[in-house]
Amino acid sequence: MRLHLPHLLLPDEVARLCALLEEAPWADGRVTAGVQSAQMKNNQQLPQDGEPTLTLQTAVLAALNRHAMFFSAALPKRVFPPLFNRYAGAANAFGDHVDNAIRYLPQGQGRVRTDLSCTVFLSDPSAYDGGELVLEGPDGPHAVKLAAGDAVLYASTVVHRVEPVTRGARLASFFWVESLVRSSEQRQLLFDMDQHVTRLRSELGETHAAVIGLTGTYHNLLRQWADT
């Protein structure tokens, strides 16, 4: 899965988050990298504990909760608390890597299996050169550089990288999702069905027999496949 999530954050929210990040105490981004990816990672990252990280995380999580397409595609069971990074100057790239399969929550609060990865772009794309998130796939590499406030959701199994930033600064949030439905194929089928049901609902109304029947089928499949 590779899905563009438009307008995850509203313009005023992006402006508020970027203002906080401009004054943020940036640290070496390798602190959350695995052994292999640490050799490829060269960026800055906001420390996970304390302010302003908690304020920023609350804003991103609230945006996820209201974004219907994110819920439909990810079917989130657990979301790793969003992290924030910066690419600029000498700290400006992240080479090819695959995200760790398991992420450990802060303060020993448990673990998250990384089924899906998400990057939320916070900088206006005109404010920096380079910095594309490149996702490798069977059809070749796909470069992603989205408007501020937009996000991309993709399988955590995908080899990906961030191209060097050659001008300006690239600010982003990133996190991982453990889905209620572990199988990517089943999750894709449920997402496709939910999108079709949503279109039928707008055309035929909530009480049409076909809408009621297909909605029931969706929930019966989710009931069968979900791990709560």
Side-chain angles (χ1 to χ4, degrees):
M1 169 181 283
R2 182 180 69 232
L3 183 65
H4 176 198
L5 302 174
H7 312 301
L8 181 71
L9 291 167
L10 302 175
D12 61 328
E13 294 174 319
V14 172
R16 183 166 63 89
L17 267 61
C18 286
L20 289 171
L21 289 171
E22 287 297 330
E23 305 298 327
W26 295 105
D28 191 326
R30 287 173 291 187
V31 66
T32 57
V35 175
Q36 184 183 65
S37 59
Q39 301 176 49
M40 305 290 187
K41 192 173 186 180
N42 180 27
N43 66 3
Q44 294 176 310
Q45 191 166 302
L46 207 60
Q48 290 180 259
D49 53 346
E51 293 290 346
T53 305
L54 297 179
T55 298
L56 294 162
Q57 288 174 340
T58 299
V60 174
L61 290 172
L64 294 177
N65 286 336
R66 68 173 185 247
H67 202 283
M69 186 177 290
F70 169 78
F71 186 87
S72 176
L75 294 171
K77 180 179 182 180
R78 297 186 185 93
V79 175
F80 191 93
L83 301 174
F84 300 85
N85 60 21
R86 181 178 186 270
Y87 291 83
N92 69 356
F94 196 165
D96 284 342
H97 66 285
V98 175
D99 291 336
N100 290 354
I102 304 296
R103 305 296 306 196
Y104 291 86
L105 294 166
Q107 284 116 25
Q109 296 177 1
R111 299 177 293 272
V112 172
R113 184 185 68 241
T114 59
D115 298 319
L116 295 162
S117 302
C118 188
T119 296
V120 184
F121 290 79
L122 298 176
S123 298
D124 189 290
S126 65
Y128 63 99
D129 292 334
E132 294 86 357
L133 172 65
V134 180
L135 307 173
E136 296 289 347
D139 55 346
H142 183 83
V144 182
K145 186 173 182 178
L146 301 178
D150 286 12
V152 60
L153 184 69
Y154 57 98
S156 298
T157 55
V158 170
V159 174
H160 57 285
R161 64 182 178 273
V162 176
E163 297 286 19
V165 172
T166 58
R167 177 186 66 86
R170 174 196 189 268
L171 301 175
S173 176
F174 63 102
F175 56 89
W176 301 273
V177 179
E178 179 178 338
S179 179
L180 289 165
V181 177
R182 184 168 186 163
S183 164
S184 59
E185 292 82 5
Q186 292 171 347
R187 205 163 52 239
Q188 184 68 54
L189 287 170
L190 287 167
F191 175 66
D192 292 343
M193 180 178 286
D194 187 46
Q195 297 304 296
H196 289 310
V197 170
T198 298
R199 282 193 287 271
L200 282 176
R201 188 179 291 122
S202 67
E203 294 172 7
L204 303 177
E206 292 281 355
T207 60
H208 193 281
V211 173
I212 294 171
L214 285 174
T215 300
T217 300
Y218 171 87
H219 284 285
N220 287 335
L221 287 172
L222 180 58
R223 186 177 292 112
Q224 179 176 337
W225 292 338
D227 175 17
T228 60

